[in-house]
Each structure stands twice: as C-alpha cells, then as structure tokens.
Amino acid sequence: MAVDQPRIEAAVREILSAIGEDPDRDGLQETPARVARMYTEVFQGLEQDASVPLSTTFDIDHQELVLVREIAFYSMCEHHLLPFHGAAHIGYIPGGGAVTGLSKLARLVNVYAQRPQVQERLTFQIADALMDELGASGAIVVIEAEHMCMSMRGVRAAGARTVTSAVRGMLRENPSTRGEAMALIHGS
C-alpha cells in the first residue's frame, strides 16, 4: 500500500483551516505537500518486510554475545502522531553460530521505528525478530527514548526518558549472561 500523498495534502489543509490558519497564506502554501512527503519518508517502514534485514547471515561459528549500542532512531507515537527518538541497544547470542551484519541490526530498528508505533511494541518486535529470523539462542533489546507527546504537551516533562526492555531465550534464563549484557549496554 503506497502512501496517498494527495489525500494527506487535503487533510493537512483541513487541519490548518481547523486551527484557524489560512492554508493559502505565504509560508503555508507548500506545507501540505511538505507534510505528505515527510509522511512518506517517516512511515516507510510500513512498506518494508522486517525479515529482510536479517536474511543475510554469515556462518562463523560464533556463539557468544553480539551487542550493538546506541543505534539512533526516530519514530512517531501512534497516539498523538508526534515524534519520539532515542537509542536502541541490541544484543543476541547466535543460534548455530550464524551472525548477521552489524548494519542489519540498525536496519531492523528502522523498519519497525518507521511506522506509527509505541516504544513497548518497538522493543519486543525487535527482540522477537532476532529470535524468529536469526534463530538466536537469546536476545536483549533496551530502548531509551524521549517522547515529544510528553515533552512538548501535557505534563511538559522535557528531557524525561522512557526505558523499555525485552529479553528472550538464554539471556532471560541465565541471570549472569543477562547481567553481562546489561553491563555492556550501560558501558560498565
């Protein structure tokens, strides 16, 4: 399903009118088209198959933790259509020794982040994909993010960060392995 840009443009024109603005005034004339193009970009994850980034693996017989920290992401809160952004930390223990390219983990984050989303779902979708698509023996995903729906409206708690985690397989079952992963995530 492709994004219907003309329909978005019409909706944005209506929103501008509904808040008391003139969508034809200088400065706003191109706004509906800009928003439509932006939505096409920020919601491109809706068009992407999350299994694709993890479809390339390398059999190097590695069965220890692989961890990538600080994967920056931007997403859009599905409740208010305002951005939330932060960093994802992803670790997994390869099942059968197969690993994926490190950039593929960042691509996986982007596929799920570029959809109307909530942070909790984003966290478990990434962990589940590592288990299902890679056949990982264990996975851990920790996401830290600031939500504009909380920072710029409502309680206006600017700078507050929400932290979510999802832990699967060996990393959930073995407290020492989980502790090692958490220490690496936090840089200690």
Side-chain angles (χ1 to χ4, degrees), residues 83-163:
F84 67 96
H85 63 95
H89 315 286
I90 300 175
Y92 72 98
I93 298 173
V99 299
T100 192
L102 300 176
S103 67
K104 305 303 185 191
L105 299 175
R107 289 183 200 280
L108 177 67
V109 171
N110 284 329
V111 167
Y112 284 122
Q114 293 174 334
R115 300 173 178 190
Q117 192 59 276
V118 294
Q119 183 174 334
E120 297 86 348
R121 183 185 317 114
L122 175 62
T123 307
F124 75 70
Q125 284 176 324
I126 295 166
D128 290 346
L130 292 169
M131 296 300 287
D132 297 341
E133 302 300 328
L134 281 184
S137 297
I140 186 167
V141 176
V142 176
I143 294 181
E144 304 172 57
E146 181 176 0
H147 294 250
M148 293 299 105
C149 56
M150 196 168 104
S151 297
M152 66 183 281
R153 58 159 300 280
V155 297
R156 292 190 172 98
R161 296 188 57 85
T162 300
V163 179

